Amino acid sequence: MYGISIDRQSSQSATRQLCDQLRAMIQAGRLEAGTRLLPTRVLAKEWGIARNVVVEVYEQLTAEGYLEGRVGSGTYVAEGLVVSAAPSAESRLELAKREDGKSNASPQTSVIDFATGIPDQTLFPASAWARALKAAGEAINEEHSSYGDIRGDQALRSALRDYLFRAKGIQCSEDQIFVVSGTTEGVSLLAQSLSSRFHSIYIENPTIGFTRDIFQQQRYNLVPVEVDRNGMNVDRLSRFASGHLALITPSHQFPTGSLLSIKRRQKAIHMAEEADTYLIEDDYDSEFRLRGIPVPPMHTLSPARVIYAGTFSKTLMPSLRTGFLIIPAGLTRHIADMKERLNLYTPLVLQKALARFIADGQFERHVLAMKKVYKKRRMLLKDRLYDAFGSHISVLGDEAGMHVLVQFTDARLAQLPWKETADYGFLVETTDDYQLPSPFPVETKGIVLGYGNLTEQQIEEGVQRIRAFAASIE
């Protein structure tokens, strides 16, 4: 059906295979806009799989913006998508070859901190990591007495290349991967490397503070673009102005949690191509998509225009201070030269340990285990918030990552002094903490609650304290 088949011997799940094939057909125009897809029961019978797998595929592609449901009518290919030529037989063959080759704070803590971006360190596989570190240390010899390759250890870049293809569909060479000491260093390296050619950057509003600070320090002009429930609103822009970069968190916008729709992804890439510029994709936590499968990065749509930034701070631990960039082939020499001039090397033993940790499958096993933990915590937090506030709130976040955004439909709740809650035994962040001055109104205001490093008991107690605070002020 639809010319789609499931490889029962593949290491990829049936859900992933079906999503990839349907998505490719839509992108290539073989399934046209407005086409009504067959009912899930029909396809499940045809493909010999459980109906809930087909339902999950439809939900995943609807979340990405490729499909749209019409009440009482069915599921259709979304209107307005930009289609491209189907991949050549040669590229499909190369793809096939590549695939074959292969918390807790103490319950007695007086203040419950709903801090964002902090994973549960009590569940970190410390023994496996210690073994990887020990093996890496023992493997160091005279060959490794120098600083090594400025791009990073070859074994780590090789492990990353294979993992990124396997988990996210990213195709790149080892030469395009640059190991950095966290996203902060990676973004700083990009800002400095590209400053001779670019002077301004489109940046999400609201957004994480350190990225905007980095570009401001490098004398870039910040052009805020507001975020709504479909991510950065690039529809506000008719084109990218000359000399402008763009920085986007498409898979899970911070702090709103929104997912950049496929239409907006395509538009941003088209404008970048027209302006001969680059999009910087900050993919800080897409491994923790808690419903469906990870959304394919923007990099897969345009490897020549998207600079991809990844990190291990959320998946493993912030203190690891290790991340990576995937640089378009035409920029690698320039970025490498700048990295060398700045003397930005990452400790070699750490890199070798991480390479072993990934190659041995420990990294992916840990991510899978933590997805289950964070999904349970997110559901608990969401349920308790609705129990406490009912229709006075909306909980947003696209079921991903380690935080949610709580928007208030009751103006009295929205106007409470949320920065003055320590006396009530809890701390939260607000979207105002991440706001940039802008002439356009920002729709996604509220409080941001992280749950990665909180126990279920702390989540329960924390929501009670939030409710008590709101009641006392009202």
Side-chain angles (χ1 to χ4, degrees):
M1 195 72 69
Y2 297 135
I4 288 174
S5 62
I6 300 174
D7 181 0
R8 310 287 178 178
Q9 306 302 315
S10 174
S11 60
Q12 292 186 335
S13 67
T15 302
R16 176 66 180 270
Q17 292 183 58
L18 293 174
C19 277
D20 287 350
Q21 292 180 65
L22 271 174
R23 188 188 296 112
M25 292 182 73
I26 295 170
Q27 289 174 339
R30 295 198 297 277
L31 282 176
E32 297 180 352
T35 299
R36 184 178 185 273
L37 298 188
L38 291 172
T40 55
R41 283 190 177 86
V42 174
L43 290 180
K45 183 177 180 181
E46 177 69 24
W47 288 330
I49 57 177
R51 178 171 173 259
N52 67 320
V53 174
V54 185
V55 171
E56 186 176 5
V57 169
Y58 279 19
E59 289 178 345
Q60 174 75 20
L61 294 181
T62 299
E64 293 179 29
Y66 287 97
L67 303 178
E68 57 188 19
R70 300 178 188 174
V71 178
S73 179
T75 302
Y76 294 77
V77 177
E79 302 283 352
L81 301 180
V82 178
V83 300
S84 58
S88 66
E90 182 181 356
S91 66
R92 289 196 299 270
L93 177 61
E94 180 59 28
L95 185 62
K97 287 179 179 177
R98 285 287 304 278
E99 184 164 347
D100 289 341
K102 324 200 328 179
S103 121
N104 300 346
S106 168
Q108 285 74 42
T109 300
S110 58
V111 175
I112 296 174
D113 190 354
F114 287 90
T116 58
I118 304 177
D120 190 332
Q121 296 299 281
T122 67
L123 299 179
F124 178 75
S127 296
W129 177 245
R131 289 194 298 271
L133 276 173
K134 183 174 184 291
E138 291 173 346
I140 294 293
N141 54 40
E142 290 182 4
E143 278 180 50
H144 307 121
S145 58
S146 68
Y147 289 105
D149 193 318
I150 189 63
R151 295 166 298 183
D153 181 60
Q154 189 274 334
L156 177 55
R157 290 186 288 120
S158 176
L160 281 170
R161 178 203 62 200
D162 294 343
Y163 163 73
L164 290 167
F165 175 73
R166 186 168 61 247
K168 304 188 180 188
I170 292 177
Q171 296 187 73
C172 65
S173 70
E174 294 172 18
D175 292 344
Q176 292 176 262
I177 298 176
F178 285 65
V179 180
V180 291
S181 295
T183 302
T184 302
E185 181 179 281
V187 172
S188 180
L189 172 63
L190 293 174
Q192 293 180 75
S193 300
L194 300 174
S195 61
S196 61
R197 180 176 169 188
F198 299 96
H199 54 74
S200 299
I201 186 165
Y202 296 109
I203 195 163
E204 295 165 334
N205 193 24
T207 191
I208 192 72
F210 78 84
T211 52
R212 68 186 185 217
D213 293 343
I214 287 170
F215 282 99
Q216 280 182 321
Q217 289 167 4
Q218 292 298 317
R219 302 184 183 279
Y220 282 76
N221 176 45
L222 302 186
V223 183
V225 181
E226 77 278 13
V227 172
D228 60 24
R229 296 195 182 198
N230 291 307
M232 178 188 265
N233 191 359
V234 295
D235 296 330
R236 289 274 191 191
L237 308 172
S238 59
R239 63 183 181 86
F240 282 173
S242 176
H244 285 55
L245 297 165
L247 177 62
I248 307 178
T249 53
S251 294
H252 189 222
Q253 202 277 334
F254 188 88
T256 68
S258 58
L259 174 68
L260 189 66
S261 69
I262 182 60
K263 293 178 186 177
R264 290 185 179 178
R265 291 176 186 231
Q266 291 178 333
K267 180 171 183 177
I269 288 170
H270 175 68
M271 290 191 295
E273 290 171 345
E274 282 193 326
D276 190 22
T277 188
Y278 297 97
L279 306 172
I280 301 171
E281 176 178 15
D282 182 2
D283 190 14
Y284 66 98
D285 73 351
S286 72
E287 284 84 0
F288 295 136
R289 181 163 175 78
L290 307 179
R291 183 179 181 182
I293 59 175
V295 177
M298 285 186 74
H299 184 277
T300 62
L301 297 176
S302 184
R305 288 294 164 192
V306 178
I307 300 171
Y308 181 91
T311 179
F312 294 99
S313 294
K314 309 300 184 291
T315 50
L316 294 178
M317 52 184 170
S319 60
L320 197 61
R321 301 309 304 146
T322 304
F324 60 93
L325 304 172
I326 304 176
I327 305 296
L331 284 177
T332 54
R333 184 67 265 163
H334 179 64
I335 300 296
D337 288 345
M338 176 60 75
K339 196 170 189 289
E340 195 150 31
R341 284 201 295 274
L342 296 173
N343 198 33
L344 299 179
Y345 289 88
T346 304
L348 189 57
V349 172
L350 195 63
Q351 292 187 68
K352 287 192 171 295
L354 188 53
R356 182 179 294 269
F357 195 75
I358 295 171
D360 288 350
Q362 295 289 346
F363 175 69
E364 285 167 274
R365 281 193 286 274
H366 178 60
V367 168
L368 181 61
M370 296 312 297
K371 280 180 67 173
K372 296 175 182 177
V373 171
Y374 294 146
K375 181 176 183 178
K376 188 176 181 181
R377 291 179 185 175
R378 184 188 189 282
M379 291 175 63
L380 176 64
L381 176 59
K382 184 177 178 180
D383 289 345
R384 293 298 172 266
L385 285 167
Y386 279 122
D387 288 344
F389 294 98
S391 61
H392 296 295
I393 64 168
S394 293
V395 179
L396 309 179
D398 200 59
E399 301 197 33
M402 296 182 291
H403 77 274
V404 297
L405 172 66
V406 180
Q407 281 190 303
F408 298 107
T409 56
D410 185 330
R412 293 172 301 171
L413 290 173
Q415 293 166 5
L416 294 180
W418 291 104
K419 304 304 292 181
E420 302 171 13
T421 63
D423 288 344
Y424 290 83
F426 71 96
L427 296 173
V428 299
E429 300 171 2
T430 72
T431 51
D432 289 340
D433 298 328
Y434 303 102
Q435 206 73 44
L436 285 164
S438 171
F440 300 110
V442 176
E443 302 176 8
T444 48
K445 281 184 172 289
I447 60 173
V448 188
L449 304 179
Y451 51 84
N453 200 34
L454 296 180
T455 65
E456 292 180 24
Q457 179 182 347
Q458 288 173 314
I459 291 172
E460 298 258 16
E461 175 63 24
V463 174
Q464 290 181 25
R465 296 181 187 184
I466 292 173
R467 182 69 189 100
F469 167 74
S472 67
I473 301 296
E474 290 175 336

